[in-house]
């Protein structure tokens, strides 16, 4: 008996949305923000199996966690706006819904785009408006994928204690 893995329902219990950005999407974000994504973080076509990685593949030594973190930081730095959050959330959920995702718990860590450290006094402040805009963008993406695929997605929003 042969089973198609797309027929098996999938559950994701711990996915950092900023860490779910595919190489294909990160290049779109770089273009949107008019920056060049560093080549050393991506394998070139032909250096990986495109059937296993249809969206491209990040180039880091998988045995070195610090290499993953460096790549994560470079990628998440391109998630800058509520539109970016909408796009990366919808892309992640769509890619996985097509593979059988039925339930997902996403983790949002918008610290890098919702905190202003430029107040002059060295104190960080949370941009409440931008934070809510990001939450709303993620929620809209969740609703759109849910409507088309019947997925259930819940969001864990990380807070930072010293910001209130």
């Amino acid at each position: 008996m042969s089973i198609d893995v797309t027929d098996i329902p999938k559950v994701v219990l711990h996915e950092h949305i900023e860490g779910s950005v595919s190489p294909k999407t990160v290049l779109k974000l770089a273009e949107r923000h008019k920056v060049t994504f560093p080549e050393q973080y991506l394998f070139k076509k032909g250096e990986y199996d495109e059937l296993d990685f249809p969206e491209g593949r990040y180039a880091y030594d998988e045995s070195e966690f610090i290499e993953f973190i460096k790549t994560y930081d470079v990628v998440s730095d391109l998630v800058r706006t509520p539109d970016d959050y909408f796009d990366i959330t919808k892309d992640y959920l769509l890619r996985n819904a097509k593979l059988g995702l039925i339930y997902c718990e996403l983790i949002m860590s918008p610290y890098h785009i919702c905190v202003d450290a430029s107040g002059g006094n060295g104190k960080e402040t949370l941009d409440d408006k931008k934070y809510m805009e990001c939450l709303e963008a993620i929620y809209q993406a969740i609703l759109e994928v849910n409507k088309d695929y019947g997925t259930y997605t819940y969001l864990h929003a990380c807070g930072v204690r010293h910001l209130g």
Side-chain angles (χ1 to χ4, degrees):
M1 175 178 173
S2 178
I3 297 175
D4 182 349
V5 295
T6 59
D7 292 336
I8 300 171
K10 315 284 186 313
V11 172
V12 174
L13 297 178
H14 186 110
E15 181 65 51
H16 292 261
I17 195 62
E18 296 87 0
S20 73
V21 183
S22 72
K24 183 178 177 181
T25 300
V26 83
L27 293 174
K28 289 178 185 176
L29 294 177
E31 185 177 318
R32 175 182 292 168
H33 298 300
K34 297 177 181 21
V35 298
T36 301
F37 187 76
E39 286 180 21
Q40 74 263 28
Y41 290 100
L42 296 174
F43 280 114
K44 292 176 179 47
K45 284 190 179 268
E47 295 180 342
Y48 62 93
D49 185 340
E50 291 183 52
L51 290 174
D52 286 339
F53 299 93
E55 303 289 317
R57 185 169 183 201
Y58 292 109
Y60 58 87
D61 182 347
E62 293 177 2
S63 68
E64 296 292 330
F65 187 67
I66 192 70
E67 295 300 316
F68 165 77
I69 294 299
K70 286 178 187 176
T71 304
Y72 179 98
D73 287 343
V74 170
V75 170
S76 66
D77 186 51
L78 289 171
V79 183
R80 300 177 178 180
T81 68
D83 286 341
D84 295 345
Y85 269 101
F86 175 86
D87 291 344
I88 67 171
T89 302
K90 188 162 183 184
D91 176 65
Y92 176 78
L93 292 174
L94 279 175
R95 282 186 284 124
N96 286 280
K98 291 173 184 175
L99 296 173
L101 179 72
I102 58 169
Y103 179 89
C104 182
E105 292 181 6
L106 293 175
I107 300 167
M108 174 200 189
S109 305
Y111 181 82
H112 63 284
I113 72 160
C114 294
V115 171
D116 179 14
S118 64
N121 59 2
K123 187 174 181 184
E124 297 175 323
T125 57
L126 180 67
D127 183 338
D128 295 346
K129 182 176 183 284
K130 191 170 189 180
Y131 184 79
M132 289 307 297
E133 289 171 352
C134 290
L135 283 174
E136 289 168 7
I138 291 170
Y139 185 60
Q140 187 60 44
I142 289 170
L143 290 177
E144 288 183 19
V145 176
N146 173 270
K147 180 180 168 226
D148 293 337
Y149 288 90
T151 56
Y152 291 93
T153 303
Y154 295 91
L155 182 63
H156 298 260
C158 295
V160 181
R161 289 183 185 150
H162 69 277
L163 297 176

